[in-house]
Amino acid sequence: MSDDRLPRVAVLISGRGSNLQALIDAVARGSLKARLALVVSNKANAAGLARAREAGVETIVISPHDYPERAAFDRALVEALQLHRIELVCLAGFMRLLGREFCEAFPNRVLNIHPSLLPAFPGVDAQRLALEHGVKVSGATVHFVTPELDAGPIVQQVAVTVREDDTVSSLAARILDVEHVIYPAAVQRILHEPWRIEGRRVSFAAPRTS
């Protein structure tokens, strides 16, 4: 498939962009068949912008401080994504809650990666909360984005064992390693496999048997 025919994907970031790099790397090795057409940051100093530019991906900064309200900021994001003919939006450490208007502009076309086994520990500090609650298993979740925080249908999850000697940093690092694997894989599946949402469940078609 030529680059012009590949699905056009945008990545929204706020910080270092390690999951953005995982997507860039997956595209480069051919395991993710997509065109990373745009990276958007809400922070001009986000380190992930340099990663995108180095990979030849167009970048823009849209700061919420330039808009009087969240809805106006969301509209600016939507306009930029539509201008670039984006088919799927991937959040990668994007530290803004997207509103209903944004989600309705891209229905079931916005994915996020979260460092817990949702619905456990939504929001920030998921790794710290996992340790404080004494859970024995945490992990990473790829899910569709809805206006409710980390509450959309789950696409993929992988468990990570919580060790007795774990700190927030050590647990976060092991979960991040898993994120870098499952996020590109989940994006590939959503783009290239048949799927449907039934209630809160994302169901993929069973593989054909010979």
Side-chain angles (χ1 to χ4, degrees):
M1 185 181 293
S2 69
D3 190 57
D4 290 340
R5 294 176 58 194
L6 290 172
R8 295 173 64 84
V9 175
V11 185
L12 274 55
I13 65 171
S14 295
R16 60 183 175 172
S18 69
N19 271 304
L20 164 63
Q21 188 66 56
L23 295 170
I24 291 171
D25 293 345
V27 169
R29 64 176 176 262
S31 59
L32 173 55
K33 300 184 186 312
R35 179 178 179 183
L36 297 183
L38 184 67
V39 169
V40 183
S41 176
N42 64 321
K43 296 182 178 180
N45 62 349
L49 291 169
R51 295 179 188 265
R53 291 166 186 151
E54 185 175 345
V57 181
E58 183 177 350
T59 64
I60 59 174
V61 175
I62 301 177
S63 172
H65 302 298
D66 294 333
Y67 299 90
E69 57 186 7
R70 189 179 76 176
F73 171 73
D74 282 4
R75 284 193 294 271
L77 284 177
V78 169
E79 289 171 5
L81 296 170
Q82 290 177 338
L83 179 65
H84 287 79
R85 307 189 313 281
I86 298 303
E87 299 168 64
L88 185 73
V89 182
C90 296
L91 309 188
F94 187 66
M95 303 303 291
R96 296 283 301 183
L97 185 63
L98 296 169
R100 185 167 302 280
E101 184 173 350
F102 183 97
C103 295
E104 289 177 351
F106 297 93
N108 298 328
R109 287 187 291 156
V110 186
L111 293 175
N112 185 42
I113 180 85
H114 183 76
S116 78
L117 293 177
L118 291 174
F121 313 126
V124 298
D125 294 329
Q127 303 93 329
R128 178 181 60 79
L129 291 170
L131 289 176
E132 288 180 355
H133 280 75
V135 300
K136 305 307 180 185
V137 178
S138 187
T141 302
V142 180
H143 65 96
F144 282 108
V145 173
T146 63
E148 297 76 29
L149 179 64
D150 295 330
I154 291 170
V155 176
Q156 191 163 340
Q157 287 184 313
V158 172
V160 172
T161 300
V162 180
R163 299 171 181 168
E164 291 295 330
D165 61 349
D166 260 329
T167 64
V168 173
S169 295
S170 66
L171 179 59
R174 293 207 318 285
I175 292 175
L176 189 61
D177 287 342
V178 168
E179 291 180 36
H180 293 165
V181 175
I182 72 166
Y183 205 10
V187 173
Q188 172 71 10
R189 295 193 75 186
I190 290 297
L191 289 175
H192 297 288
E193 294 184 25
W195 54 270
R196 61 188 181 275
I197 295 177
E198 301 172 324
R200 295 177 54 85
R201 294 170 57 89
V202 179
S203 299
F204 291 89
R208 293 182 179 180
T209 58
S210 57

